[in-house]
Amino acid sequence: MGDDGAVRTRAAGIVAELAAELEEEIALGVLHPRERLVEDDLMERFGAKRHVVRSALATLESRGAVERRANVGAFVRSYTAKEVRDLYDVRTLLEANCARSITVPVPPERLDPLVECQQSHDAAIAAQDRRSAHRANLAFHAILFGLSDNRTLVEAVRHHARMASSIRSLTVADDQYLLRAQAEHWEMIQALQDGDPDRLVKVCVAHLEPSRDAYLRRLAVG
């Protein structure tokens, strides 16, 4: 790789890191729906150049986590009740079909990484480490749906999950939700071990409901 290629690779890496940091803060509720993302503030906070910040925001816009308005700027994406229901209807279809496409029972050598990831999730919840629990949760679902051989479906699941970052933020800090998610993860693992696709699909669908319902409740009282 030439010098120009190396520079482009480093620049792309910096943009990806900034986008990942902002996306995580949206999912953790540090940045709230409708909150404005001011370029100058982000430049100062992260010590980044303007083109890097703009590229990171464009990346998040393409993922559905950020919306940009002409002559106004970028904001953490917010949703109407209809948009929430529509998005979660699509997520339900995608994740149910992706779960059903996994060949079960899953052999131990393919299931072990999922079990290890869930053990990390358990430890983070026990330590009340929300950030680590969030990261372990993302990794769990990436490994779970990655067990499907349908790469296009797996990517669609990942994309629509990212779109829901600001919606999920309402449940990330909720202890009751975290414990429910933890239990459902282990139930998914058990279904994979037992070769029970119907149970797996049922749990995956139920797993989507708390974040959707929490956001709808917030809209109803807001």
Side-chain angles (χ1 to χ4, degrees), residues 127-205:
Q128 295 190 323
D129 183 346
R130 299 275 191 269
R131 191 174 293 268
S132 294
H134 169 67
R135 291 175 179 175
N137 179 69
L138 291 181
F140 178 90
H141 289 281
I143 296 170
L144 169 68
F145 292 115
L147 293 171
S148 169
D149 292 329
N150 188 328
R151 297 296 96 190
T152 301
L153 186 52
V154 171
E155 179 56 32
V157 166
R158 186 171 73 96
H159 174 72
H160 286 81
R162 274 180 154 162
M163 289 179 65
S165 292
S166 63
I167 298 174
R168 297 198 311 272
S169 67
L170 296 182
T171 51
V172 166
D174 185 316
D175 289 337
Q176 184 177 357
Y177 166 75
L178 287 175
L179 291 174
R180 170 176 168 165
Q182 179 183 26
E184 287 175 344
H185 285 181
W186 282 112
E187 193 171 354
M188 292 173 197
I189 290 170
Q190 190 64 55
L192 291 168
Q193 290 173 328
D194 294 345
D196 190 342
D198 291 337
R199 181 180 172 196
L200 177 62
V201 170
K202 181 179 179 180
V203 179
C204 285
V205 169

Side-chain angles (χ1 to χ4, degrees), residues 95-152:
E95 296 193 15
N97 279 282
C98 195
R100 194 170 292 283
S101 72
I102 298 171
T103 301
V104 292
V106 177
E109 63 272 15
R110 296 196 69 198
L111 197 58
D112 285 348
L114 190 65
V115 172
E116 291 171 5
C117 184
Q118 184 50 39
Q119 290 168 342
S120 296
H121 188 244
D122 292 349
I125 291 174
Q128 295 190 323
D129 183 346
R130 299 275 191 269
R131 191 174 293 268
S132 294
H134 169 67
R135 291 175 179 175
N137 179 69
L138 291 181
F140 178 90
H141 289 281
I143 296 170
L144 169 68
F145 292 115
L147 293 171
S148 169
D149 292 329
N150 188 328
R151 297 296 96 190
T152 301

Side-chain angles (χ1 to χ4, degrees), residues 8-110:
R8 285 194 296 272
T9 298
R10 285 195 298 272
I14 294 170
V15 170
E17 288 176 9
L18 178 54
E21 178 68 21
L22 292 173
E23 187 173 40
E24 183 171 82
E25 291 191 355
I26 291 170
L28 290 170
V30 177
L31 298 171
H32 305 286
R34 296 187 296 278
E35 182 170 346
R36 189 178 177 194
L37 302 171
V38 181
E39 289 182 6
D40 288 346
D41 292 347
L42 295 175
M43 289 166 60
E44 181 178 356
R45 181 182 167 198
F46 292 102
K49 296 183 183 297
R50 189 175 300 277
H51 74 274
V52 171
V53 170
R54 286 182 175 174
S55 294
L57 292 175
T59 296
L60 292 177
E61 184 181 27
S62 72
R63 294 175 183 173
V66 164
E67 53 189 340
R68 292 197 285 186
R69 303 172 195 167
N71 304 316
V72 179
F75 296 79
V76 176
R77 183 165 180 179
S78 60
Y79 288 88
T80 66
K82 183 180 187 306
E83 287 171 336
V84 172
R85 293 189 184 96
D86 288 349
L87 174 58
Y88 273 73
D89 283 348
V90 173
R91 291 193 69 197
T92 296
L93 288 171
L94 290 171
E95 296 193 15
N97 279 282
C98 195
R100 194 170 292 283
S101 72
I102 298 171
T103 301
V104 292
V106 177
E109 63 272 15
R110 296 196 69 198

